[in-house]
Amino acid sequence: MDLLGNTLQETVEAAKALGVSRHRAAAAYADFFRTDRCTEPWVEDCMPPIRTTTIDEETVKFTLSLGDGLETESVIIPMHRDGRVTRTLCVSSQIGCAMGCGFCETAQMGLLRSLTASEIVAQWHAARHRVDNPFDGGRGFPIKNIVFMGMGEPTDNLPAVLQSIRVLADHHGPAVPASRITVSTVGRTEGIRTLARFATARGFRKLNIAFSLNAPNDRIRGEIMPITRAEPIARILGALRDWPIQRSAAFCMEYVLIPGVNDAPEHCDETCALLKGILCSLNVIPYNPRRESPWRAPTEEEITAFVTRAIANGQFCKRRGTKGRNAMAACGQLGNANIRRRTFVPVRIAG
Ligand code: SF4
């Protein structure tokens, strides 16, 4: 039996059919997720093998080989705070992506296929237990947060994404609280509403959502994100307003800062006006050039100017550090050029 894609309850039920007691099933489940050990004959080790590990300073990118010759890409990102380091795992929900964002390396691949819940959870398991850790000489990293910001649009693969979150948050398994899991989306409103319903269930009420805004208006956003033709910003913000947000929490609005595209002072002012009245953090992500990029990365001065202006406008704003750029592990840089466009699935634009 593959435990990766199942919650404890599902495992117990499946094990019962094999004549395995609840107690033994629960012990095997905890062993597999917490210590990466399992001696029960009915448990299969379905972990895909680690294919590559690339390190850029403290950022670790790894790929898992899937049975069909494709591979997942994930990144373990160090977060430094108060002299301590914690690690965030960025997982992929698909191989490639159909959304076609112009600034993103993954978009160059097209969508090859969606991942199963098991393949998503496998990325956590590998990061937690099996990826070589050169910093302590062992294997695996303690993972504090999980972000669905790797390859793929999570709302394009929601059944598997939601099931993976159920498993990741299972107290008896990975036990990553929903409050430490963030799903990032280009803003498909139907998907946001489904996620919102999921986030009203017990145990998932603190699930976080991040929206890739990236532009002050539909015209500029449409130039870099084709999905905007089907989902204008106003409609997405409307869906986000219905999110069952905790009083103390705030949405994360991601803004990939691209010189000459969306970084002018008037773009900053227009973005801040757009977000007025929404409890949110504007997270400015300096553009990481993809292969054959028509745009360069912004300079420190350009980033500081945009962030400073947003703060002066009264918008809570922070910049995201650039990590892993040399290993093509930074935000927007995931994607294997060798399997690019093996099967291209065009963007689905409705309406
Ligand atoms: S930014 Fe995200 S949604 Fe857009 S193409 Fe890249 S992976 Fe897909």
Side-chain angles (χ1 to χ4, degrees):
M1 187 190 306
D2 172 15
L3 302 188
L4 287 167
N6 291 303
T7 60
L8 172 69
Q9 193 50 39
E10 289 159 348
T11 301
V12 165
E13 278 159 25
K16 196 170 160 192
L18 301 172
V20 176
S21 71
R22 180 185 171 85
H23 178 72
R24 261 180 65 195
Y29 192 82
D31 278 350
F32 176 73
F33 282 109
R34 297 194 180 164
T35 64
D36 193 21
R37 271 199 313 268
C38 193
T39 51
E40 292 280 356
W42 53 274
V43 175
E44 277 178 79
D45 186 349
C46 294
M47 273 296 294
I50 294 167
R51 185 163 181 179
T52 57
T53 306
T54 327
I55 300 175
D56 178 17
E57 295 182 1
E58 288 179 273
T59 301
V60 179
K61 173 177 163 181
F62 66 92
T63 61
L64 299 180
S65 283
L66 304 177
D68 52 8
L70 299 177
E71 57 193 42
T72 64
E73 297 197 16
S74 323
V75 185
I76 304 167
I77 307 157
M79 300 286 178
H80 293 271
R81 198 171 180 183
D82 302 332
R84 289 190 319 122
V85 59
T86 58
R87 288 188 165 79
T88 292
L89 173 67
C90 176
V91 294
S92 295
S93 55
Q94 297 179 308
I95 311 284
C97 184
M99 295 297 122
C101 303
F103 51 85
C104 174
E105 176 70 23
T106 308
Q108 307 299 305
M109 294 171 69
L111 174 65
L112 299 179
R113 76 168 169 86
S114 288
L115 295 176
T116 63
S118 173
E119 290 164 340
I120 296 171
V121 176
Q123 297 170 63
W124 173 85
H125 193 285
R128 179 67 192 88
H129 297 296
R130 299 196 183 185
V131 172
D132 282 337
N133 183 340
F135 308 108
D136 75 1
R139 279 185 176 191
F141 293 81
I143 300 295
K144 187 169 183 192
N145 300 294
I146 298 175
V147 292
F148 283 78
M149 294 184 185
M151 289 195 292
E153 163 56 30
T155 64
D156 207 20
N157 183 23
L158 263 184
V161 167
L162 297 185
Q163 176 64 4
S164 70
I165 294 172
R166 285 186 197 100
V167 178
L168 291 167
D170 195 307
H171 293 311
H172 305 273
V176 181
S179 59
R180 299 205 175 279
I181 300 176
T182 300
V183 178
S184 174
T185 176
V186 292
R188 299 171 90 199
T189 45
E190 202 187 312
I192 292 172
R193 292 192 200 289
T194 304
L195 273 164
R197 281 195 296 279
F198 181 81
T200 58
R202 203 160 153 243
F204 302 102
R205 291 198 183 116
K206 292 189 177 172
L207 182 70
N208 300 292
I209 189 164
F211 167 47
S212 294
L213 175 60
N214 300 332
N217 56 51
D218 287 332
R219 184 184 61 75
I220 296 175
R221 194 170 189 263
E223 286 168 10
I224 53 176
M225 300 182 73
I227 189 72
T228 311
R229 274 180 271 149
E231 298 277 13
I233 295 171
R235 195 195 298 172
I236 301 164
L237 294 183
L240 285 173
R241 282 197 177 89
D242 294 340
W243 183 267
I245 197 163
Q246 303 286 314
R247 255 166 213 265
S248 56
F251 290 119
C252 169
M253 301 286 178
E254 296 160 342
Y255 197 100
V256 176
L257 195 70
I258 311 174
V261 175
N262 62 4
D263 68 333
E266 58 271 25
H267 296 152
C268 182
D269 294 348
E270 198 179 344
T271 302
C272 295
L274 187 69
L275 299 179
K276 217 172 178 62
I278 302 176
L279 185 61
C280 67
S281 163
L282 181 63
N283 280 12
V284 174
I285 305 167
Y287 172 57
N288 295 303
R290 60 170 170 82
R291 293 176 178 97
E292 297 153 30
S293 169
W295 308 294
R296 62 174 172 81
T299 62
E300 281 303 311
E301 291 71 36
E302 288 165 337
I303 301 162
T304 305
F306 193 94
V307 172
T308 307
R309 193 174 181 99
I311 293 169
N313 280 337
Q315 173 62 50
F316 184 73
C317 179
K318 51 190 180 184
R319 75 160 280 186
R320 181 163 328 149
T322 300
K323 291 166 184 157
R325 197 180 270 173
N326 295 332
M328 287 301 278
C331 197
Q333 290 188 311
L334 299 188
N336 183 332
N338 296 326
I339 54 175
R340 213 184 251 191
R341 291 183 188 277
R342 191 181 286 177
T343 314
F344 185 74
V345 181
V347 185
R348 292 186 296 277
I349 303 288

